[in-house]
Amino acid sequence: MTKQTFNSIQALRGIAALLICCVHCITSKIGSNENTHSIIAELGRIFISIGNWGVDLFFIISGFIITLLIFKTNECSFKNAFCFLIKRFFRIYPLFWITISVAAYITFLIGYRGIEFQKLYDFKVILLLAHIYPFLGVAWTLSFEVFFYLGVFLFLCFFNKKYFIQFLLCWGGILFIFIILHHNNIFTFNYYTMTDPRVLEFFIGGLLLPILIRRKNVFYDKYISITFGAIVILIGASNAYVNVPKHAYLGYWEIVYLNGFGSALLLYGFVGLEYHNKIYIPTSLKKLGDISYSIYLWHFPIIGLSLLINLKLNFYQHLPIIYHSIIEIITTILISILSYYMIERPSIHYSQRLSFKILSKNKVGN
């Protein structure tokens, strides 16, 4: 596939991030006011049922994008692998460090003085190798990203890119066996990314690319894929909606074969149709995708800031609770726009320049 970027992926990514933002902005208000409790609870139940699918979509997209990058890599070498790691590092860590610091500071201003502050100095938290993160709960998904990136880095160091799909199949198969062994208490692992079935969604996303390449001249199956993908996701949402009062939601394996495979079907369909110029993606959705990572991380500090304002200002306390959620969502979007242009883009451009210098030296040396 010759396209460098797919606007449909950006659109899906933006929608997923906004849904997750809405989930947390709404559910964080449940029980805060008796007059609006039932409204907020019902909205929270709806958004939890639908919005949690966004995480699975992120994992599917990440696997697909990384596989696309490997396919477009000229060769596998340590320098190329190092450049890959540099780009992933500057894509994830700067914004993560900033948002978790801001979230911790806001929590401190609210008056909390718990031991969670000590965890900020834990190298596992700093390097996104932990299971639970203080002040920035959504960061748990980034541990899965880092795990996948490290595996791809090792592949680039030692293998030829033409074997990447075989590598994904073997790696994913081994993880599948580990997960089965762990869940049946045959052999346990402490590193949770090797025990959570959702990690398999990266491999599902990666395996979509060779299928798309083989069927790149066919587009009717893309409509079928989108239809079935939507049906599967709605089944997962309806099951989650029923189970929300029981705090059960979906089981890990249900998440993978409903949310995960449903997301994969949607991605396959939309990317395939865009390749054939059968769909048009509005610029607004593309822009939403550009700021999706910022939305994903910034909405937690914004929720904390809203709580701080609620404690300090009387007029804010008397606003309907639903207004708090709306204000938080709008503020998150505005802050994310600034964050994208002031933090994300400069970090991305710096990593690209640094990688270019490293590869240029390699060519000069040859």
Side-chain angles (χ1 to χ4, degrees), residues 52-61 197-206 208 225 228-230 232-234 236-237 250-268:
N52 284 340
W53 148 77
V55 170
D56 305 285
L57 179 58
F58 278 139
F59 288 173
I60 295 291
I61 288 175
R198 284 172 293 189
V199 72
L200 299 175
E201 293 172 345
F202 287 93
F203 303 93
I204 295 171
L208 285 179
S225 182
F228 276 98
V232 171
I233 289 171
L234 286 175
L250 293 176
Y252 282 150
W253 288 110
E254 285 183 296
I255 288 174
V256 173
Y257 65 72
L258 290 175
N259 291 353
F261 278 108
S263 298
L265 289 169
L266 285 183
L267 186 65
Y268 175 83

Side-chain angles (χ1 to χ4, degrees), residues 202-267:
F202 287 93
F203 303 93
I204 295 171
L207 295 174
L208 285 179
L209 185 59
I211 298 173
L212 274 166
I213 291 174
R214 289 184 180 182
R215 299 186 62 80
K216 64 181 179 180
N217 295 321
V218 181
F219 65 86
Y220 67 86
D221 63 335
K222 311 307 186 292
Y223 291 109
I224 298 173
S225 182
I226 291 173
T227 301
F228 276 98
I231 291 172
V232 171
I233 289 171
L234 286 175
I235 291 173
S238 62
N239 288 347
Y241 181 83
V242 171
N243 290 327
V244 164
K246 304 174 186 176
H247 302 285
Y249 309 144
L250 293 176
Y252 282 150
W253 288 110
E254 285 183 296
I255 288 174
V256 173
Y257 65 72
L258 290 175
N259 291 353
F261 278 108
S263 298
L265 289 169
L266 285 183
L267 186 65

Side-chain angles (χ1 to χ4, degrees), residues 7-67:
N7 292 335
S8 55
I9 290 179
Q10 287 297 85
L12 289 171
R13 185 183 274 157
I15 292 170
L18 191 58
L19 278 173
I20 293 168
C21 172
C22 291
V23 167
H24 293 135
C25 289
I26 292 173
T27 56
S28 62
K29 310 299 180 296
I30 294 178
S32 59
N33 186 301
E34 290 299 325
N35 294 327
T36 56
H37 173 76
S38 60
I39 298 174
I40 291 293
E42 185 59 25
L43 281 174
R45 185 175 176 180
I46 293 171
F47 273 100
I48 285 176
S49 303
I50 300 174
N52 284 340
W53 148 77
V55 170
D56 305 285
L57 179 58
F58 278 139
F59 288 173
I60 295 291
I61 288 175
S62 184
F64 180 87
I65 291 296
I66 296 303
T67 303

Side-chain angles (χ1 to χ4, degrees), residues 89-107:
F89 178 91
F90 283 97
R91 184 70 184 93
I92 288 182
Y93 284 98
L95 186 59
F96 164 69
W97 288 334
I98 291 171
T99 50
I100 196 172
S101 299
V102 171
Y105 181 65
I106 291 172
T107 306

